[in-house]
Amino acid sequence: MITQNKPNWVNNPRKWIWMLVGFIIIEKFLENGILVPVLLKLPFGDLTSNILYKGIEVLLVLGLNIWLIKQKLYFSVNVSLKTTLFFLFGIVYISLFISSGPVKLLPPIILWTLLTAISEELLFRGVIFGDLFKRLTQRHLTKRSVAITIGLSSLLFSLQHLSNLANQSLLDTVCQMIETFGMGILLAAIYVRTGSLITTIFAHFLIDFPILYLSQISTGSTSTANMSGNVSVVGSIIVAIVYALVGIVVIRSKLANNKLPAITHTMENPAN
């Protein structure tokens, strides 16, 4: 039997936790400590700067994953009637918004929203959820271990929005964190159900695009501080609960019926 030589931290819980924490800290330091200050000094508008920011963030996440975590990312889409209908519904849904606004804003906002969805899905569903899933289910694949993985990755997804305190109020940030926690549950459930980051990226895009596009029509500003409008904690909790409930509906009750390759691999190769 051929065995692979694995790094010492793979089977050491403390070491892999610190490796994952280190990954997040390094990514956020490079992003907010270096990338953002550099972009602020460049002679670009807000929209162009946001596109550059998210594009570089995609490369940053991919590079750090190759260097540190080496987490496998799953992109293959299982073509089925439900998947096809989902993508068609999404296209129709987006067309309802873009038909009511200026065409000139459409290409840059689509690019900005798409890069945002790609960067966040690569980081939080692809790398963080994928690595947590691998570690927390390598001995016992149960609904509880999957739920814990979804909860932890969603919490980290929510906490990363604390950085928005730099350009929006505390109330706006708290409401955003509440909503993104529920959104994280939904997107993680979609990833488990479909086994494809393409699907989660598209779902993320569907959630973000109307907000960003309509904000441009009404205010003409790309600052996240101007996108919140009137917010309330109760309203955000309701939104988060809706996201979470949809996630529960999306994910299959029987784990084996979900498409995430890591589930199939774990069931075929249970730990001794």
Side-chain angles (χ1 to χ4, degrees):
M1 179 179 177
I2 299 176
T3 59
Q4 293 180 329
N5 292 324
K6 298 182 179 180
N8 292 331
W9 55 267
V10 170
N11 295 315
N12 187 316
R14 289 185 180 180
K15 287 187 177 180
W16 75 255
I17 288 174
W18 281 113
M19 182 66 72
L20 185 59
V21 170
F23 175 94
I24 297 172
I25 291 174
I26 292 173
E27 194 275 335
K28 290 304 172 185
F29 171 75
L30 293 175
E31 177 185 324
N32 297 308
I34 297 178
L35 179 57
V36 171
V38 169
L39 289 176
L40 288 174
K41 294 180 180 180
L42 296 177
F44 299 128
D46 287 344
L47 187 53
T48 302
S49 295
N50 277 316
I51 291 172
L52 285 173
Y53 169 54
K54 288 301 178 181
I56 296 173
E57 187 179 15
V58 170
L59 299 177
L60 188 61
V61 172
L62 290 173
L64 286 174
N65 183 48
I66 292 172
W67 177 40
L68 289 175
I69 305 297
K70 298 177 175 62
Q71 172 60 40
K72 186 172 182 180
L73 305 174
Y74 301 104
F75 294 97
S76 179
V77 178
N78 180 37
V79 179
S80 65
L81 178 59
K82 289 182 179 180
T83 304
T84 303
L85 290 175
F86 170 68
F87 280 96
L88 288 176
F89 166 79
I91 293 171
V92 173
Y93 171 72
I94 293 299
S95 68
L96 295 176
F97 289 92
I98 64 178
S99 62
S100 61
V103 177
K104 66 178 182 179
L105 287 175
L106 184 58
I109 294 176
I110 285 180
L111 182 57
W112 176 27
T113 310
L114 184 60
L115 288 173
T116 299
I118 292 172
S119 63
E120 293 186 355
E121 290 312 302
L122 286 176
L123 177 58
F124 289 99
R125 258 58 67 182
V127 177
I128 293 177
F129 175 84
D131 195 65
L132 286 172
F133 184 91
K134 180 169 59 180
R135 309 303 171 189
L136 296 177
T137 63
Q138 64 180 359
R139 290 185 177 276
H140 301 289
L141 177 60
T142 63
K143 293 180 183 178
R144 182 173 179 270
S145 62
V146 173
I148 291 173
T149 305
I150 291 175
L152 287 175
S153 64
S154 300
L155 178 61
L156 291 172
F157 180 54
S158 171
L159 290 174
Q160 73 113 8
H161 290 84
L162 276 171
S163 61
N164 290 335
L165 276 172
N167 54 28
Q168 65 184 23
S169 69
L170 176 61
L171 176 60
D172 288 346
T173 304
V174 169
C175 290
Q176 187 179 34
M177 290 174 63
I178 293 171
E179 292 181 17
T180 51
F181 177 74
M183 181 178 170
I185 293 174
L186 171 60
L187 293 170
I190 292 174
Y191 188 40
V192 172
R193 175 69 182 87
T194 65
S196 173
L197 286 171
I198 298 297
T199 313
T200 67
I201 288 169
F202 188 68
H204 195 141
F205 177 85
L206 293 181
I207 294 172
D208 281 357
F209 180 80
I211 299 172
L212 298 181
Y213 189 68
L214 293 176
S215 72
Q216 301 315 297
I217 297 174
S218 60
T219 67
S221 171
T222 57
S223 171
T224 55
N226 295 324
M227 296 176 190
S228 55
N230 296 319
V231 297
S232 71
V233 173
V234 174
S236 295
I237 291 174
I238 293 173
V239 171
I241 290 174
V242 171
Y243 280 143
L245 290 176
V246 174
I248 293 172
V249 172
V250 166
I251 200 168
R252 293 283 189 173
S253 58
K254 188 175 181 181
L255 292 177
N257 291 336
N258 293 286
K259 302 297 183 181
L260 185 64
I263 290 180
T264 304
H265 176 76
T266 303
M267 297 189 73
E268 292 176 350
N269 303 276
N272 294 326

